[in-house]
Amino acid sequence: MLGGEIMSEIVMQITELTKVFPLRDSKVGFKAVDSISIDLYKGEVLGVVGESGSGKSTLARCAFGITEPTSGGTIILGQSLVGKSRKATRELRAHLGFVFQDPAGSINPRMSVHAAIAEPLMLAGMDSDSIDKRVNFLMDRVGLATSQLSRKSHELSGGQCQRVAIARALATNPKIVLLDEPTSSLDLSVQAQILNLLEELRRDFDLTYFLISHNLDVVSHLSDRVAVMKDGVFVEVGSTRQVVDAPKHPFTRELIRVYSGAAREFDLDTWQDGPMNRWAFQNVSTFLPTRKIEASTKPLEFKALIDDTLDAITIDVADSTYTLPELLADVDTDAIVVVRKATLVYEKYFNDMTEDSVHLLQSVSKSILGALYAVMVERGVIDIDKPIAFYLPELVGSVYEDATIAQALDMTVAINFSEDYSDPQSEMARLDRAAGWRTNTTGQDLGLRSFLGTMTASGEHGKAYQYCSANTDVLAWLISEVTQTPYQELLTRYIWQPMGAHDDASIIVDSEGLSVGNGGISCTTRDLARFGLLIVNHGRANGEQVIPTAWIDATLAGASADVESADYLQALHPGGSYKNKWWITAGASREIFGVGIYGQYVWVDPTSETVIAKFSSLPIPVDGVHSRKHMALFKAICAH
Amino acid sequence: MSTVLKISELEVDFQINGVITNTPLRGINIEIKAGKTLGIVGETGCGKTLTATAIMGLLPSSAVQRGQIEFADHGVINKSEMAAIRGSEITMIFQNPQSAFNPIFTIGAQLTMVAQRRGISDIKAILVARLESVGLRDPRRVLESYPHELSGGMLQRAMIAMALLSTPTLLIADEPTTALDATIGDQVLTLIATLQKREGFAMLFISHDVTAVAKVSDEIAVIYAGRVVETGPAHDVMSSPQHPYTRGLLGAIPSAEKARGTLVTIPGNVPSVLTNIKGCAFAERCSARIDKCDQEPPIVEIGNRSVACWVVKS
Amino acid sequence: MRIMWNRLSSALLVLCAASFITFTLARVIPSDPALAYIGPKATAADSAKLRITLGLDQPIPIQYFKYVWQTLNGNWGYSLSTKQPVLQEIIDRLPATLELIFFAMSFAVIFGVVMGVYAAKYRGRFQDSVIRILAIAGVSMPAFWLGLLLQMLFAGRLAWFPATGQFDIELKYDNPITKVTGFPVFDSIITGNFAATMNGLHHMVLPALTLSAYSFGLLSRMARANLLEVMSQDYIKVARAYGLSERLVFFKLALRNALPPIVTVTGLSTAYLITGTFFVEQVYNWPGIGSFAVNSLLSIDYPAIMGITLLAAIGYLVINFIVDLIHAKMDPRVWMR
């Protein structure tokens, strides 16, 4: 039945076993084991692997009658542990053996080795001659000399202690033995001895093992079947070969990877992290569905006059002094293009990038959406002071029933949304799953539309700045719904071609073909600089007004002072704010920029008429050090 | 490439009233190049942590130390010279993050003391930035938290942030993942490796976990009973171990691939530090042992490997 | 805050239990309280009449509830020997005892902790041994014996300090203390009567020293042991590894960690001092609760004994409550449970 073997007899049957520990501040309590059912077959080794807090030890204790389960139970050799007389329970217990993690602790320190092994025999009522014979036999079987019999646990090494514990566990000739982290406190070389011994004893005495360990190597080595436990449930059960060779659950895969010592590999859950993102950000369209944003037939050209002196500037930041090339390397730069007064003055590519290769913009995509909305408003397509659900009635009942388009543009929607990129439970991670940016095995959030409909309000809108990526996705959906035109076509028609893009760009779409407006655009570095030039040139390109000047001026003025800002924003840019999907600094030279996680930027300094387009593949999504380094870098270039 | 740390013939005795009670370190020779990682592998009681303690100059007064420790541009340094540079040029992260932080001070207070000692100005901003860079999402909350309010993984990240408040020349990581769950430990390892690549410090990585050491190290030193028995590039040591002890250790790692009951075992136990050792300490457990093994083994150079053994041939 | 309520309610429970036990004990003492009140020559009829007047004829539970009710209303009964209200007797004597305890404890804490820290710093050296001997002497010497020794040496032979009393008799005429709070030394300070202050302190030295000996010994040993324990913790190793100065490590970090158990011991030994005052006040003829207690005990003055016991119980609970508060302030982990 399993692994081709026939396992006829079930020796232990665990049925819907649940253990709830009461919590002080909760009526529900903490479910350490959540309705686990599994059978143990005669002669097999069932290994349960899990991390601390997974509930594996509680499961074992409940299954073996050490702890009372909250519900469910165990049938051992055809008899239930529950509701039995003391005597019957004791007889049943004689069929069970126990080996625990801490060998020294599980043997009474005042007892001699002989007494420790003899104790269960005495309780079983054996006479002393038979006891001595049995103890000597067991000592021999676990590889200890009889000369050790008079010793006490503190006179033994860890391995010897564990051998004594095994002898004691086997004293009454049990049929099923619980091995709870049997080798976790032992050194590697001693662990191997004990593992070999356990296997030998299992074969010779026809034992069945219930093995619990955090160590996947130990579990997979010793077990016929492996159950992977996490948060009180088995996320995966199968023959050892199945589980090790073809793990199904992401946690099993992660555990196997960790134990193999391999680095994280490129897959749908890791592609955004360093170092996988170096290749991934330049090749998004090879592994995610994308739609094309088309180039202009008459691209905007700029003069090229490379200013080598930029390489010599020094930048003081984060307790160090860097030259420009040093700082670029430090922030894992993939590409940088600097355009000043319509002239290309600096251009560098790294990590296989060229002027023809595209790179994922991440949240700089949001700033492009901001520009598209400027055009749409001017054309009278929409009224940004209307609630979003006015245009998308599907969203009635969600946070977007009351939140207006303007509030979504300025990120002042009060929404229950955690933008935590590292927390797999955060709304941001759910958004990624809905957009197809991560594997989605949850069965929920299938597509952006269904995800966005589940978002709820957390307070009054328009009062405080709260960065939330979902707000941009909802706007990309809205505008293509109102215009009945795919989002990528709107971008092509109203931004990309009018601004004179040299190359095609692309945007990632979800499983239903809806554009991921919050971060899905990829384009060349120079085209990103062309987009930035629109701001410097008051919205004009190739002699035409692409985006309205008034909108640019309004955006440059920043958010209203009534809007409560965020600590991190003020720490980085005192007085700065977020408006129309752009970041704006305060002070005399008012810079405006778009930012994406892992180091994507378009930086515009209207005063010096400088545009910097820059791509990176930083190892982590956001951190203050990198942000500060980037700011220093941009300001130094603009000031040069 | 310049050498950051060079330890030659380091020996440590513990003495009571001038009488040697034991000699836990009997000959440590290691070298770490700038920006590289040396991994020290060994079992309990082999002297891994004691080596780190000696480098930091934190041995108790009952310990007598012989041999040389050379550090970066300082040349040979003694205990008091080490006191001046530890915590700035050399920093350390520890096995158990729960006990490594003082339970009655906030993380912020403890990091601030270290930052002050390093003469960092604008401490608050640097701390927040540092905690962010080790992947702690809410640095302000972390700073205001007491150790018992944070998970082991978060504390270890905070410890790393403390070690890297200003970039050290050498980071000593003493079993930094042992007290953590495997997946959390792996995240911490990845973080350390990433930060090392970015900031260029050298690292001494100490662990009993061969897999973890192999993952982060450029070079590996295998240590047994207070002596380095084999050193070489990490990949080479892992794929073709030379010293009988290294071979035994790698053969002892269980896995689904190895048939049950056939793990390579090394008979006996690691000798206690109280044992008076003559010749090769591993000889009594060694299956390849020959008569000469009761004399101090020579260091045999095999390619880029050094092995302390009578049996292996160069 | 909920924890504090828990502590408070359990303190109340303890108080009830203490009052019940002392009450019961007083009733089962094999001596007739009525007899003790009117004297051995009273007739049986007199005694029976008095039993009714004192309510001694009623069932014990009713007597108890009556007693509790009266106690809460400030009626602690009348002392059998002085015929004065017990509460008044206690209020009159309490300040002298509290001042004595205050000075004794201050001495014990300051010198105990300083010596303990010093011993820890010079562990295993000469200084450590000297402090150890002092501490053991302090803990093992009975208070009345130490009191007599100090009296003989410093009051008798050297005549540096007065042998007994709280103030010189003449003080009453030369520089009488104006009563403000009832605490004589304290009152003398706030009324600017420094002659009295000096005189009071002069009298205070020997009794306070005697009373503090036990706590001093205990605290110095505790402080030393705790510091050494803390110094071996990982976080101290970490602090050193990060180059924090030895001063900072020892005095700021280690000492702070060692303090909570020291506070506990301080609290416990303050409670212990309450019994210590029985002997010390007797030896030094100190007009406080201690000598009152001894006299009451000897004359089986059960209302007084009950009053004093209740007072001691209250004192003990207050001290414990303060210790808990300080603990919570010093160790954030206390709030966990």
Side-chain angles (χ1 to χ4, degrees):
Chain A
M1 189 166 62
L2 290 156
E5 284 175 58
I6 297 163
M7 298 196 184
S8 48
E9 198 187 330
I10 294 177
V11 290
M12 182 183 262
Q13 204 168 2
I14 300 171
T15 317
E16 297 193 350
L17 195 107
T18 299
K19 178 71 184 179
V20 181
F21 290 110
L23 283 181
R24 216 150 52 99
D25 299 320
S26 154
K27 280 202 179 94
V28 194
F30 171 68
K31 234 180 212 177
V33 178
D34 190 356
S35 192
I36 282 187
S37 301
I38 195 160
D39 296 337
L40 208 60
Y41 297 90
K42 185 165 197 276
E44 80 160 334
V45 181
L46 172 69
V48 177
V49 64
E51 305 204 313
S52 57
S54 62
K56 56 186 190 307
S57 278
T58 311
L59 168 68
R61 274 152 207 273
C62 289
F64 279 75
I66 304 170
T67 312
E68 189 81 11
T70 309
S71 66
T74 324
I75 293 172
I76 295 165
L77 303 165
Q79 300 184 56
S80 171
L81 265 180
V82 188
K84 275 267 150 47
S85 69
R86 269 168 178 270
K87 186 160 172 283
T89 312
R90 198 187 310 144
E91 273 168 18
L92 201 52
R93 283 259 173 93
H95 296 302
L96 306 176
F98 303 91
V99 178
F100 294 106
Q101 172 172 2
D102 177 17
S106 56
I107 303 169
N108 187 335
R110 282 186 220 158
M111 268 189 193
S112 66
V113 168
H114 181 278
I117 302 174
E119 191 183 37
L121 296 170
M122 257 147 57
L123 288 174
M126 203 183 256
D127 65 82
S128 67
D129 279 357
S130 313
I131 287 179
D132 287 347
K133 253 167 99 179
R134 177 87 184 143
V135 169
N136 286 344
F137 168 75
L138 289 165
M139 286 291 278
D140 180 50
R141 288 314 315 254
V142 300
L144 289 174
T146 41
S147 60
Q148 314 259 30
L149 276 173
S150 58
R151 299 206 175 175
K152 296 193 175 151
S153 61
H154 64 90
E155 297 169 292
L156 302 174
S157 69
Q160 288 170 329
C161 272
Q162 203 57 304
R163 284 172 196 268
V164 173
I166 292 170
R168 181 182 153 97
L170 297 184
T172 55
N173 237 333
K175 300 212 163 46
I176 312 165
V177 181
L178 170 63
L179 305 171
D180 190 351
E181 302 274 10
T183 58
S184 295
S185 59
L186 303 177
D187 273 322
L188 197 52
S189 65
V190 183
Q191 166 175 288
Q193 296 168 8
I194 299 295
L195 290 179
N196 284 352
L197 173 68
L198 286 170
E199 171 60 14
E200 191 186 311
L201 294 170
R202 187 188 65 86
R203 261 192 243 143
D204 293 354
F205 295 115
D206 206 9
L207 297 168
T208 306
Y209 285 156
F210 192 88
L211 168 68
I212 304 285
S213 179
H214 72 282
N215 187 326
L216 180 70
D217 284 345
V218 167
V219 168
S220 65
H221 175 73
L222 210 58
S223 309
D224 296 295
R225 281 194 299 157
V226 171
V228 184
M229 195 166 177
K230 190 175 191 316
D231 302 330
V233 296
F234 287 162
V235 295
E236 186 156 0
V237 186
S239 76
T240 304
R241 285 256 68 101
Q242 270 171 10
V243 171
V244 172
D245 294 342
K248 290 193 183 65
H249 194 274
F251 176 70
T252 316
R253 284 207 292 272
E254 175 69 358
L255 211 55
I256 289 172
R257 181 189 65 72
V258 166
Y259 273 90
S260 71
R264 288 188 82 185
E265 281 170 32
F266 178 85
D267 63 33
L268 202 47
D269 292 308
T270 63
W271 64 275
Q272 295 196 68
D273 295 331
M276 283 74 75
N277 58 11
R278 193 144 296 168
W279 177 85
F281 285 176
Q282 298 174 40
N283 295 279
V284 163
S285 60
T286 63
F287 59 93
L288 288 175
T290 55
R291 299 283 184 271
K292 203 198 278 181
I293 302 167
E294 286 166 36
S296 167
T297 45
K298 42 171 194 143
L300 178 86
E301 299 297 345
F302 11 66
K303 282 184 287 179
L305 196 66
I306 300 298
D307 180 1
D308 288 331
T309 60
L310 271 167
D311 278 338
I313 59 173
T314 57
I315 302 146
D316 288 326
V317 65
D319 291 340
S320 303
T321 301
Y322 300 86
T323 64
L324 181 58
E326 282 169 356
L327 192 53
L328 288 175
D330 185 80
V331 295
D332 295 309
T333 304
D334 291 334
I336 180 169
V337 162
V338 180
V339 177
R340 172 172 293 156
K341 297 192 199 310
T343 308
L344 179 71
V345 293
Y346 195 78
E347 184 172 34
K348 285 274 160 66
Y349 295 100
F350 310 89
N351 304 324
D352 303 328
M353 263 198 79
T354 66
E355 59 174 86
D356 298 324
S357 39
V358 295
H359 194 286
L360 186 63
L361 295 183
Q362 293 284 11
S363 295
V364 180
S365 308
K366 293 185 173 76
S367 303
I368 298 178
L369 177 134
L372 177 68
Y373 262 73
V375 178
M376 292 293 118
V377 170
E378 194 191 37
R379 290 174 173 254
V381 177
I382 43 160
D383 175 359
I384 59 167
D385 293 322
K386 284 247 163 33
I388 289 166
F390 176 82
Y391 296 103
L392 294 173
E394 298 94 313
L395 293 178
V396 168
S398 77
V399 60
Y400 298 114
E401 179 173 343
D402 305 321
T404 65
I405 295 173
Q407 286 159 351
L409 283 168
D410 295 346
M411 294 285 189
T412 60
V413 178
I415 182 172
N416 289 307
F417 190 97
S418 157
E419 186 94 7
D420 188 337
Y421 304 98
S422 59
D423 175 5
Q425 308 303 325
S426 72
E427 283 77 12
M428 188 62 221
R430 283 180 57 197
L431 173 58
D432 273 358
R433 288 195 285 266
W437 287 35
R438 280 175 197 269
T439 41
N440 189 353
T441 53
T442 61
Q444 297 166 328
D445 307 325
L446 303 168
L448 287 170
R449 288 185 182 92
S450 79
F451 168 76
L452 292 168
T454 65
M455 291 291 98
T456 55
S458 65
E460 199 184 334
H461 306 308
K463 294 287 171 199
Y465 159 80
Q466 182 197 350
Y467 193 88
C468 162
S469 286
N471 293 341
T472 316
D473 290 316
V474 86
L475 293 182
W477 173 19
L478 184 148
I479 200 65
S480 64
E481 198 66 30
V482 170
T483 57
Q484 287 297 303
T485 310
Y487 183 63
Q488 66 273 11
E489 276 189 46
L490 293 173
L491 289 179
T492 301
R493 215 179 294 163
Y494 297 107
I495 304 291
W496 220 244
Q497 290 186 337
M499 82 175 194
H502 186 278
D503 297 288
D504 289 344
S506 70
I507 182 159
I508 301 168
V509 294
D510 75 352
S511 55
E512 299 171 330
L514 190 66
S515 289
V516 184
N518 89 68
I521 299 177
S522 294
C523 70
T524 62
T525 326
R526 286 185 176 190
D527 278 344
L528 181 59
R530 287 186 176 94
F531 176 65
L533 266 180
L534 282 176
I535 305 284
V536 171
N537 295 334
H538 309 285
R540 296 179 71 81
N542 278 339
E544 283 177 47
Q545 191 74 36
V546 182
I547 49 177
T549 315
W551 177 86
I552 294 176
D553 294 342
T555 306
L556 273 170
S560 152
D562 300 340
V563 174
E564 188 189 324
S565 192
D567 281 356
Y568 70 90
L569 173 56
Q570 292 308 316
L572 213 51
H573 303 289
S577 63
Y578 191 90
K579 177 87 181 162
N580 288 334
K581 303 278 170 211
W582 287 81
W583 308 74
I584 304 99
T585 64
S589 86
R590 192 158 266 238
E591 295 112 341
I592 175 167
F593 60 103
V595 197
I597 51 174
Y598 299 96
Q600 325 313 325
Y601 284 92
V602 58
W603 178 273
V604 182
D605 176 18
T607 319
S608 64
E609 295 179 40
T610 308
V611 175
I612 304 169
K614 183 180 169 304
F615 293 125
S616 282
S617 44
L618 288 170
I620 44 178
V622 268
D623 74 289
V625 177
H626 282 116
S627 302
R628 260 179 278 279
K629 284 178 177 172
H630 274 112
M631 297 309 130
L633 188 153
F634 298 145
K635 287 184 175 168
I637 291 176
C638 292
H640 179 64
Chain B
M1 206 182 307
S2 64
T3 297
V4 165
L5 181 76
K6 185 169 189 211
I7 298 181
S8 328
E9 292 301 324
L10 176 67
E11 296 182 0
V12 170
D13 291 331
F14 280 96
Q15 303 189 349
I16 295 175
N17 299 329
V19 180
I20 297 175
T21 55
N22 63 68
T23 307
L25 289 191
R26 303 178 307 112
I28 302 289
N29 294 290
I30 50 174
E31 191 173 345
I32 308 176
K33 302 273 190 220
K36 297 289 179 189
T37 299
L38 173 76
I40 293 188
V41 189
E43 297 182 277
T44 312
C46 68
K48 301 183 299 274
T49 298
L50 199 63
T51 305
T53 313
I55 295 170
M56 297 292 277
L58 288 171
L59 288 175
S61 51
S62 57
V64 177
Q65 174 184 328
R66 289 179 299 275
Q68 281 186 348
I69 299 177
E70 290 168 66
F71 182 72
D73 340 323
H74 296 271
V76 177
I77 48 172
N78 61 27
K79 213 169 152 175
S80 62
E81 286 163 334
M82 182 53 75
I85 57 171
R86 72 168 171 249
S88 50
E89 288 183 51
I90 301 186
T91 58
M92 188 163 174
I93 52 181
F94 297 81
Q95 173 169 355
N96 189 347
Q98 309 278 7
S99 66
F101 279 105
N102 196 322
I104 64 166
F105 292 90
T106 60
I107 301 293
Q110 300 186 50
L111 292 186
T112 302
M113 280 184 245
V114 172
Q116 280 165 347
R117 140 89 180 144
R118 294 208 204 155
I120 291 172
S121 54
D122 196 9
I123 288 173
K124 181 82 192 263
I126 297 285
L127 291 187
V128 167
R130 251 310 168 198
L131 290 175
E132 270 180 348
S133 74
V134 296
L136 289 167
R137 281 291 303 166
D138 195 348
R140 277 160 229 276
R141 187 177 75 79
V142 171
L143 286 176
E144 284 160 16
S145 299
Y146 288 96
H148 69 265
E149 295 170 328
L150 301 177
S151 71
M154 290 173 91
L155 284 175
Q156 197 60 295
R157 283 170 192 268
M159 176 57 70
I160 292 168
M162 182 158 110
L164 303 180
L165 271 181
S166 54
T167 305
T169 312
L170 174 70
L171 175 70
I172 300 178
D174 185 5
E175 304 262 10
T177 59
T178 307
L180 304 175
D181 275 330
T183 51
I184 306 293
D186 186 69
Q187 290 168 13
V188 167
L189 276 192
T190 309
L191 172 71
I192 296 174
T194 308
L195 292 167
Q196 185 186 24
K197 206 169 278 172
R198 193 193 299 163
E199 310 196 358
F201 51 83
M203 178 156 71
L204 180 65
F205 187 90
I206 296 171
S207 182
H208 72 285
D209 181 351
V210 183
T211 317
V213 170
K215 188 170 176 175
V216 296
S217 305
D218 300 296
E219 301 259 324
I220 286 183
V222 182
I223 173 168
Y224 185 79
R227 198 162 178 210
V228 174
V229 294
E230 178 164 1
T231 55
H235 179 265
D236 297 5
V237 173
M238 291 298 287
S239 58
S240 65
Q242 294 297 322
H243 195 280
Y245 175 65
T246 320
R247 283 209 296 274
L249 204 57
L250 295 179
I253 302 174
S255 77
E257 278 66 38
K258 292 175 186 166
R260 274 193 273 182
T262 62
L263 293 176
V264 175
T265 58
I266 306 170
N269 292 293
V270 178
S272 122
V273 285
L274 299 171
T275 319
N276 190 11
I277 295 165
K278 268 201 195 124
C280 174
F282 188 61
E284 59 167 8
R285 300 175 75 190
C286 184
S287 53
R289 132 167 230 169
I290 53 173
D291 287 347
K292 266 199 211 161
C293 293
D294 56 9
Q295 296 163 40
E296 195 67 20
I299 306 256
V300 183
E301 304 285 339
I302 310 170
N304 46 19
R305 218 89 64 83
S306 311
V307 184
C309 183
W310 283 109
V311 182
V312 295
K313 294 279 170 286
S314 56
Chain C
M1 236 35 279
R2 214 171 67 190
I3 300 155
M4 277 303 145
W5 281 118
N6 284 344
R7 296 270 155 91
L8 265 179
S9 53
S10 69
L12 272 178
L13 216 69
V14 171
L15 209 55
C16 286
S19 69
F20 186 75
I21 291 168
T22 49
F23 174 82
T24 316
L25 278 179
R27 296 300 135 131
V28 297
I29 287 172
S31 106
D32 189 339
L35 215 61
Y37 191 80
I38 48 176
K41 285 177 194 155
T43 64
D46 285 346
S47 139
K49 206 172 132 202
L50 187 75
R51 287 180 74 85
I52 294 165
T53 328
L54 292 177
L56 292 170
D57 57 330
Q58 283 166 329
I60 295 269
I62 296 191
Q63 285 189 38
Y64 172 68
F65 285 112
K66 244 170 129 181
Y67 158 73
V68 171
W69 179 247
Q70 288 173 349
T71 308
L72 288 176
N73 284 300
N75 177 1
W76 289 31
Y78 285 81
S79 162
L80 301 180
S81 44
T82 67
K83 308 286 191 290
Q84 294 296 310
V86 170
L87 192 59
Q88 193 55 48
E89 292 280 358
I90 287 176
I91 290 172
D92 287 348
R93 290 175 162 86
L94 194 58
T97 299
L98 287 183
E99 276 192 348
L100 179 60
I101 289 180
F102 172 79
F103 281 102
M105 240 14 247
S106 307
F107 182 85
V109 169
I110 292 167
F111 284 89
V113 172
V114 168
M115 295 265 188
V117 169
Y118 199 68
K121 217 165 157 53
Y122 294 94
R123 177 195 189 174
R125 300 213 218 140
F126 174 71
Q127 295 94 321
D128 189 16
S129 314
V130 172
I131 294 167
R132 187 198 321 259
I133 290 166
L134 277 178
I136 291 171
V139 172
S140 52
M141 207 166 313
F144 62 86
W145 177 238
L146 180 65
L148 288 175
L149 277 183
L150 293 180
Q151 253 179 353
M152 275 164 60
L153 182 62
F154 292 104
R157 184 168 294 242
L158 297 170
W160 288 355
F161 297 104
T164 59
Q166 197 179 11
F167 292 99
D168 288 341
I169 309 285
E170 304 79 50
L171 198 75
K172 248 189 238 166
Y173 313 107
D174 304 345
N175 294 294
I177 296 167
T178 324
K179 192 169 168 181
V180 182
T181 60
F183 290 84
V185 175
F186 184 69
D187 283 350
S188 73
I189 293 171
I190 58 173
T191 53
N193 186 352
F194 296 119
T197 309
M198 290 316 293
N199 189 268
L201 290 178
H202 199 211
H203 280 78
M204 185 69 80
V205 172
L206 288 185
L209 209 60
T210 311
L211 192 57
S212 72
Y214 178 83
S215 305
F216 159 78
L218 201 61
L219 278 169
S220 70
R221 294 307 286 167
M222 273 292 297
R224 177 186 182 276
N226 270 311
L227 257 177
L228 289 178
E229 152 91 26
V230 168
M231 290 303 283
S232 70
Q233 295 291 318
D234 275 0
Y235 51 79
I236 295 297
K237 199 163 83 185
V238 172
R240 285 189 171 141
Y242 276 85
L244 301 187
S245 74
E246 210 45 34
R247 267 180 85 86
L248 184 71
V249 169
F250 196 85
F251 289 105
K252 179 158 180 193
L253 303 180
L255 202 54
R256 273 286 297 274
N257 283 285
L259 274 184
I262 294 176
V263 170
T264 308
V265 171
T266 306
L268 283 175
S269 67
T270 308
Y272 180 87
L273 282 199
I274 296 174
T275 34
T277 56
F278 287 25
F279 305 103
V280 173
E281 291 189 6
Q282 201 66 11
V283 171
Y284 288 98
N285 198 14
W286 197 264
I289 298 283
S291 36
F292 181 55
V294 172
N295 293 333
S296 307
L297 278 169
L298 291 177
S299 56
I300 321 178
D301 182 352
Y302 82 89
I305 294 173
M306 280 163 65
I308 292 163
T309 313
L310 199 60
L311 179 78
I314 293 169
Y316 189 78
L317 289 173
V318 168
I319 289 164
N320 262 319
F321 190 70
I322 293 172
V323 165
D324 280 346
L325 276 179
I326 299 176
H327 245 236
K329 189 101 192 116
M330 286 195 306
D331 190 342
R333 288 167 301 178
V334 167
W335 299 109
M336 295 263 286
R337 274 183 203 289

